[in-house]
Amino acid sequence: MTQDVLTRIEGPIGRITLNRPKALHALTLEMCHAMSAAFTQWADDDAVKAVIIDHAEGSRGFCAGGDIAFLRNSALNDGGVSGRKFFHDEYQLNHQMFAYEKPIVAFMDGVTMGGGVGISQPARFRVATENTRFAMPETGIGLFPDVGGGWFLSRLGGRLGQFLALTGARLKGEECLWAGLASHYVPSEMIEDLKARIAEKPDRIAGILSEPVGTPPPARLENNALKIAKHFASDSLEDILESLEAAAADGDEWAQKERDTIGTKSPQTLKVALRQLATSAALTDFADNMAMEYRIGSRVLTRPDFAEGVRAVIVDKTHDPKWDPLTPEGVSEELLDSIFAPLPAAEEWKPL
């Protein structure tokens, strides 16, 4: 059993605590397996009424994602074999949580990005605080907004999901609540008390989390909601860039900033994300979404942009990725078709 995640039963509550603080609790394959095993065990334990997911002390990170350095190493050294295994099993955990019959409460008290989104969004109760920093920043490293991102982002109103996927924008806790990514917002100093009360009355979770709120700060994101809905309306990257460009030319500084931000991202990933969200919006089964994301993941893992993006952003920290293709026009429909195509039957993703 890995010490990077602590699983135990406390009264009627199953507790999962991420415990890899130096890496902001980024997920490893062993952590995914430990969490999955706990969920499996507790599903059949009538004494366990609900599950709480949180992280070890300190408010910096709930979960900063998956083990990106490991994935890059796989892409460079084993043809993506171990990386695909990680995606496969991580996605099984995401689906297991989504389909779980007992209530799950995720305390997103800190950085919640990538893989952290995948283990908070499937929870029935998603609790944000003043420490929450939520993002899907994958377009900046040539990956894509996975771990169920296609499903969750495509179901936000006002094209917010497309905006978050393309820009990698970071949301505060109150913005997560406004957008529907968090179900509740509480001050972080109340979290331990709330956990204790949930353990006393696991059938009253919604009421317990709703009581202490007061009024969260206003969501800054709301001020730009109309602009986001307008400029990110299309599923065509070129249309979105054109819309932002036109507004920027008229002196809109917000549009200029978002246009410049998108200009730093992987064109391949941007187009993958738009197609991913458009496809997912039409799906009715979360498992179908995860199968689609596994097809994408198994292919973009070994395409040039991922290793290059991680090099530029995380390894060398030079922030000068050389994307391939270099421009949106260079990302053909044929390339996208090949990334989204079905895998051989024996390699397709399946739920646990």
Side-chain angles (χ1 to χ4, degrees):
M1 189 62 119
T2 177
Q3 286 305 299
D4 289 343
V5 58
L6 310 173
T7 62
R8 68 253 184 236
I9 295 174
E10 295 178 354
I13 303 297
R15 291 287 302 272
I16 294 176
T17 299
L18 305 178
N19 187 37
R20 200 175 168 228
K22 287 198 173 98
L24 291 186
H25 312 290
L27 300 176
T28 63
L29 185 61
E30 292 72 26
M31 290 168 73
C32 292
H33 288 167
M35 294 168 72
S36 208
F39 279 117
T40 299
Q41 190 180 337
W42 299 337
D44 298 326
D45 187 340
D46 292 341
V48 176
K49 304 297 184 191
V51 178
I52 287 176
I53 299 187
D54 58 12
H55 66 277
E57 59 265 30
S59 59
R60 283 193 61 215
F62 165 67
C63 175
D67 195 333
I68 293 294
F70 162 82
L71 291 170
R72 179 176 188 259
N73 191 44
S74 170
L76 295 174
N77 297 313
D78 70 13
V81 173
S82 56
R84 284 192 289 273
K85 169 73 174 161
F86 176 79
F87 283 149
H88 182 275
D89 294 6
E90 182 187 24
Y91 295 2
Q92 285 189 328
L93 169 64
N94 302 143
H95 178 269
Q96 182 182 21
M97 290 180 63
F98 186 91
Y100 210 61
E101 294 193 353
K102 300 181 181 187
I104 299 172
V105 189
F107 284 95
M108 300 152 41
D109 182 35
V111 171
T112 304
M113 296 185 184
V117 173
I119 56 168
S120 58
Q121 288 307 299
R124 192 179 310 175
F125 301 101
R126 305 172 305 284
V127 186
T129 73
E130 74 278 8
N131 298 317
T132 302
R133 295 293 179 273
F134 178 105
M136 290 297 270
E138 290 80 3
T139 49
I141 55 167
L143 200 53
F144 71 110
D146 66 334
V147 293
W151 182 276
F152 300 115
L153 294 179
S154 67
R155 283 158 176 77
L156 299 178
R159 303 292 289 184
L160 269 178
Q162 286 74 10
F163 167 74
L164 294 174
L166 296 191
T167 64
R170 297 186 177 197
L171 304 190
K172 294 181 175 178
E174 62 271 17
E175 294 175 303
C176 291
L177 181 70
W178 176 79
L181 292 159
S183 62
H184 296 80
Y185 179 95
V186 304
S188 60
E189 70 262 17
M190 300 190 72
I191 284 180
E192 292 312 312
D193 176 56
L194 293 170
K195 290 175 190 169
R197 292 177 60 197
I198 288 169
E200 283 171 20
K201 296 185 175 172
D203 54 337
R204 294 247 10 268
I205 297 172
I208 290 167
L209 292 174
S210 297
E211 282 165 27
V213 175
T215 307
R220 199 174 50 120
L221 186 66
E222 189 175 2
N223 300 334
N224 297 316
L226 292 176
K227 289 183 179 183
I228 289 169
K230 175 185 175 185
H231 296 303
F232 288 79
S234 176
D235 288 325
S236 153
L237 177 60
E238 287 84 352
D239 288 353
I240 291 171
L241 291 173
E242 199 176 300
S243 180
L244 290 169
E245 199 76 71
D250 286 341
D252 185 331
E253 288 180 15
W254 178 89
Q256 179 65 54
K257 178 169 120 347
E258 301 306 340
R259 168 69 190 83
D260 290 349
T261 296
I262 294 172
T264 67
K265 311 294 187 184
S266 155
Q268 167 197 289
T269 307
L270 295 167
K271 287 201 171 183
V272 164
L274 284 171
R275 183 186 283 205
Q276 173 197 359
L277 269 59
T279 305
S280 186
L283 299 177
T284 56
D285 185 343
F286 187 66
D288 291 340
N289 176 81
M290 298 317 292
M292 168 185 70
E293 291 189 6
Y294 182 68
R295 291 169 180 173
I296 301 169
S298 67
R299 293 184 172 112
V300 300
L301 179 65
T302 52
R303 286 197 50 77
D305 276 7
F306 176 58
E308 171 62 6
V310 177
R311 176 205 66 75
V313 175
I314 292 166
V315 179
D316 298 341
K317 296 184 168 55
T318 50
H319 297 277
D320 60 346
K322 308 289 184 286
W323 300 124
D324 177 17
L326 194 57
T327 63
E329 296 72 31
V331 183
S332 67
E333 289 299 308
E334 291 73 27
L335 173 57
L336 292 174
D337 289 345
S338 72
I339 289 171
F340 280 77
L343 290 160
E347 295 173 30
E348 288 277 24
W349 180 90
K350 295 176 186 64
L352 269 176

